[in-house]
Amino acid sequence: MQNWTGREDGFLEQIMNTFYVITNYLKDPEYRTAGNIRNYLEEKGKTCYIQERRNGILSGPYKYTDADKIPEDVEGVLVLGGDGTLLQAARDLMERKLPLLGVNMGTLGYLAEIEHKNIRPALDRLLADEYIVEQRMMIYGCVYHYGKKMLGDVALNDIVITRNGRLRVVDFNVYVDGEFLSSYSADGVIISTPTGSTGYNLSVGGPIVAPQASLILLTALAPHTLNSRPIVLPDNVEITIEIGSSHGTDIDGAEATFDGDTSVKLNSGDRIIITKAESRTLLIKTKNTSFLEILREKMNR
């Protein structure tokens, strides 16, 4: 882990001299933007590596970026693409504890702070040490089938459990720290971090939470009850979602998806246990923009 200096407000700071660029080749197919960033940083006396183009998903512990191939002297990672690319990088690099700066090369983005046209001013602020590093909590989900662990994975945004297959609702039983909370007949359930509160959670009417907070949000998807409301829980609880039966003659089951990426099919009786992850994601912020200002800007587009 890098030698970060802590501050009373919970942010971190450090002078950075060596960088690594991860780019979404679908949005930067010739690596032109990545190359321009490297050239600019090297002109300023910094060191910059670019991730080699890969073919398909990796095998082993990483899916998109092999964290073991990132040089040890790297102090900051620039992620070119959008929120999806940044989520992928956050999950692959969580054990390296490297701060990430997202560059949005798509449309709407909450995580990727910098727009493509503003890359150079952002780099100038980064090199002038005019930035902060926010710590964002992650959640960990572990799926069990007949008591046997099937999958364990982390998410920066959310873990979403939805029906699998035909358009029919599924019953979900929810427990908090082993105590029964509620049952839902719904299309699914979203378990979100504060960072993910402006993602899928927002689109279904869930609460918006400041991303630096440390809470867990639970929001039902299209619940078939009149009294269902989103629930905000402290970060130290253990949430268990038990899959009930589909409403119909054929049981299609459900599916758990981590940050819209890794997924696993769930059958009636399966459980997924969700807790706060031990690892955190570090996000670089180069603009002195409040969460409320960002929210107004993004939501008024």
Side-chain angles (χ1 to χ4, degrees):
M1 181 176 179
Q2 304 299 327
N3 184 25
W4 292 94
T5 301
R7 298 183 356 180
E8 292 181 357
D9 55 12
F11 295 115
L12 303 171
E13 56 186 6
Q14 179 200 26
I15 297 175
M16 291 189 286
N17 295 295
T18 308
F19 300 88
Y20 190 83
V21 177
I22 296 171
T23 190
N24 183 330
Y25 68 88
L26 296 177
K27 298 179 180 179
D28 188 20
E30 298 179 359
Y31 279 38
R32 183 174 300 171
T33 301
N36 289 338
I37 289 175
R38 179 173 61 185
N39 293 341
Y40 188 73
L41 290 173
E42 290 179 346
E43 288 173 4
K44 299 295 183 179
K46 305 297 183 178
T47 301
C48 182
Y49 307 94
I50 297 178
Q51 175 182 264
E52 294 182 1
R53 181 166 178 166
R54 52 173 174 74
N55 294 318
I57 296 177
L58 301 174
S59 60
Y62 310 114
K63 294 191 67 175
Y64 302 96
T65 299
D66 189 337
D68 295 333
K69 291 185 178 180
I70 297 179
E72 289 296 326
D73 59 341
V74 167
E75 297 161 318
V77 178
L78 308 175
V79 183
L80 314 183
D83 283 0
T85 310
L86 191 54
L87 287 170
Q88 293 168 359
R91 297 171 69 209
D92 279 340
L93 305 187
M94 63 179 181
E95 298 301 332
R96 289 293 303 268
K97 298 180 174 61
L98 290 168
L100 312 175
L101 175 63
V103 177
N104 183 28
M105 301 182 69
T107 52
L108 179 65
Y110 281 91
L111 288 176
E113 178 196 53
I114 305 302
E115 300 296 331
H116 182 269
K117 62 183 179 181
N118 297 324
I119 292 177
R120 184 161 293 192
L123 292 177
D124 288 339
R125 290 191 292 271
L126 195 59
L127 299 181
D129 300 324
E130 297 174 356
Y131 70 93
I132 59 174
V133 178
E134 292 181 354
Q135 301 184 72
R136 300 287 185 89
M137 73 165 282
M138 304 178 79
I139 51 178
Y140 175 78
C142 195
V143 178
Y144 293 90
H145 177 64
Y146 290 114
K148 182 179 180 181
K149 180 178 177 180
M150 296 172 58
L151 173 75
D153 207 347
V154 297
L156 173 59
N157 257 8
D158 50 40
I159 298 173
V160 180
I161 304 167
T162 56
R163 60 172 184 250
N164 183 50
R166 303 181 184 184
L167 295 178
R168 51 172 62 111
V169 298
V170 177
D171 291 331
F172 300 90
N173 299 317
V174 181
Y175 302 83
V176 177
D177 288 337
E179 182 179 352
F180 177 73
L181 172 65
S182 182
S183 292
Y184 297 100
S185 288
D187 288 353
V189 177
I190 302 172
I191 299 89
S192 170
T193 67
T195 297
S197 70
T198 52
Y200 196 4
N201 170 77
L202 172 63
S203 70
V204 299
I208 299 173
V209 178
Q212 299 92 341
S214 195
L215 301 164
I216 301 179
L217 317 178
L218 193 153
T219 305
L221 282 167
H224 287 232
T225 55
L226 295 177
N227 60 351
S228 176
R229 294 291 185 270
I231 299 173
V232 180
L233 296 166
D235 66 357
N236 61 347
V237 300
E238 177 185 275
I239 300 172
T240 300
I241 309 292
E242 182 182 63
I243 309 303
S245 61
S246 298
H247 289 218
T249 56
D250 298 323
I251 297 178
D252 294 310
E255 183 178 49
T257 306
F258 297 74
D259 276 344
D261 186 20
T262 305
S263 64
V264 59
K265 186 174 180 180
L266 304 172
N267 297 309
S268 178
D270 289 349
R271 292 187 169 207
I272 176 168
I273 298 176
I274 298 169
T275 57
K276 177 182 177 181
E278 295 182 1
S279 299
R280 286 177 174 262
T281 293
L282 305 179
L283 293 182
I284 298 172
K285 295 294 179 181
T286 62
K287 295 191 296 184
N288 186 23
T289 307
S290 70
F291 166 65
L292 295 180
E293 185 175 346
I294 295 173
L295 198 60
R296 287 198 304 270
E297 176 187 350
K298 302 291 186 180
M299 294 186 69
N300 289 331
R301 286 188 173 185

